[in-house]
Amino acid sequence: MLDPETFNNILLEQVRDGVYLLTINRPKVLNALNAQTLEEMNNAVSTVTADKGARVLLITGSGEKAFVAGADIAHMSNLSPLEGKAFAEHGMHLFRRLETLGIPVVALVNGYALGGGCELAMSCDFILASDNAKFGQPEVNLGVTPGFGGTQRLTRLVGTSMAMELLVTGRNMSAEEAMQRGLVNHVYPQPQLLEEGLKLASMIAGKSGTAIQLTKELVQRGQDLDLDNACIMESDLFGLSFSTPDRAEGMAAFLESRKPNFG
Ligand code: CO8
């Protein structure tokens, strides 16, 4: 556990070599995100970034009921329009940071992922869910729009018409439906979710960190480019990967019929 004194609303642990687990820890309000929680998450991301041995960041919620049930409605109910905009920008900045972090970020969605919770999960590289997870953007019920990227990321993930249905009805999706629609990669029984997440994280942590970093950059940046330019970028970073110690180790290991040790 890292500096437990520093955080009130989250926990950050290095659970295995190179594998960090960030737990949003406000179970009494179903892990709702207020400004302090966003700030603590931002600081946690800085801690992880500063560790050159970090390989994977897992994000989950405390308890068995919720990942994150949204932005904190009590907090938002007192905000002026400009404060609301600043709060949205705070979340946007953090979520974009997760999306562009040099290591994979995996959401372990262990219950409700609504509003800002669904938006947080969608800003991770991919989502593993427990069988009791529920996803939705219920902001229409509160008289506001999504504000942490929900209209944009949901549309990119499930397509315009399905995103519109979900956004204008505010209905929840089960974990199974979310998987069918491409939002979730795998669904596990609730008690197995963390263990499955750790297993996957350990597998990723054994691969080449530099290759993963460049791959993530290609996938993230390539989405906003036309195919010609995206493929040029891929050739460039492929070439760049030849300058790394991981390339020397990975190819030598193959030729010597042994497992690579990427350190
Ligand atoms: N914010 C604050 N408190 C919450 C939230 C939340 N999002 N969700 C739940 N809580 C609290 C409840 O008020 C309750 O507190 P208390 O025990 O003091 O009454 C406690 O958590 C337990 O919740 P419930 O009793 O309601 O539990 P249920 O099992 O009956 O229901 C639900 C669970 C269905 C998840 C229900 O709590 C619910 O509908 N929550 C709100 C979901 C929601 O609308 N989320 C979207 C919020 S808006 C948003 O996220 C916008 C993001 C962009 C922000 C942009 C910034 C401007």
Side-chain angles (χ1 to χ4, degrees), residues 14-213:
Q14 184 165 180
V15 278
R16 297 193 180 164
D17 259 8
V19 179
Y20 283 83
L21 176 67
L22 189 165
T23 306
I24 296 145
N25 189 30
R26 302 182 76 210
K28 285 191 181 146
V29 289
L30 306 186
N31 305 318
L33 301 173
N34 60 6
Q36 187 186 339
T37 309
L38 295 180
E39 194 54 44
E40 291 185 13
M41 290 174 73
N42 211 25
N43 291 340
V45 172
S46 297
T47 301
V48 173
T49 312
D51 178 357
K52 296 299 164 224
R55 291 287 175 269
V56 184
L57 174 61
L58 301 171
I59 300 183
T60 195
S62 180
E64 294 179 355
K65 192 167 169 183
F67 173 68
V68 167
D72 189 319
I73 298 168
H75 172 73
M76 287 190 295
S77 67
N78 295 314
L79 299 183
S80 70
L82 286 181
E83 287 168 338
K85 182 174 186 308
F87 184 49
E89 286 169 353
H90 196 174
M92 292 281 197
H93 170 77
L94 169 67
F95 292 5
R96 192 70 188 129
R97 218 179 147 199
L98 293 172
E99 214 161 40
T100 55
L101 210 65
I103 59 173
V105 181
V106 182
L108 304 182
V109 174
N110 56 318
Y112 289 110
L114 303 180
C118 189
E119 290 166 312
L120 169 61
M122 291 190 293
S123 71
C124 296
D125 291 302
F126 53 91
I127 301 173
L128 308 184
S130 58
D131 49 6
N132 66 330
K134 294 225 179 324
F135 296 81
Q137 297 289 156
E139 286 87 346
V140 281
N141 299 324
L142 300 168
V144 292
T145 67
F148 291 158
T151 57
Q152 304 311 307
R153 291 193 181 91
L154 188 62
T155 305
R156 283 164 170 76
L157 282 163
V158 303
T160 308
S161 57
M162 184 46 61
M164 275 302 286
E165 183 198 313
L166 293 163
L167 291 162
V168 303
T169 62
R171 78 171 172 88
N172 289 348
M173 265 190 298
S174 68
E176 273 306 320
E177 183 184 349
M179 186 164 70
Q180 280 164 21
R181 301 208 180 283
L183 197 71
V184 161
N185 284 20
H186 301 283
V187 178
Y188 300 106
Q190 161 87 36
Q192 288 169 25
L193 178 66
L194 179 59
E195 191 191 317
E196 293 292 342
L198 289 172
K199 229 189 273 177
L200 185 89
S202 292
M203 189 205 283
I204 296 170
K207 310 288 178 191
S208 158
T210 48
I212 286 176
Q213 180 177 357

Side-chain angles (χ1 to χ4, degrees), residues 190-243:
Q190 161 87 36
Q192 288 169 25
L193 178 66
L194 179 59
E195 191 191 317
E196 293 292 342
L198 289 172
K199 229 189 273 177
L200 185 89
S202 292
M203 189 205 283
I204 296 170
K207 310 288 178 191
S208 158
T210 48
I212 286 176
Q213 180 177 357
L214 296 175
T215 300
K216 178 165 172 175
E217 190 179 336
L218 284 166
V219 171
Q220 285 296 334
R221 286 178 51 201
Q223 290 179 72
D224 298 325
L225 295 177
D226 62 86
L227 191 59
D228 280 339
N229 279 302
C231 288
I232 290 170
M233 183 173 68
E234 185 172 299
S235 311
D236 287 346
L237 294 199
F238 179 70
L240 181 65
S241 71
F242 277 58
S243 69

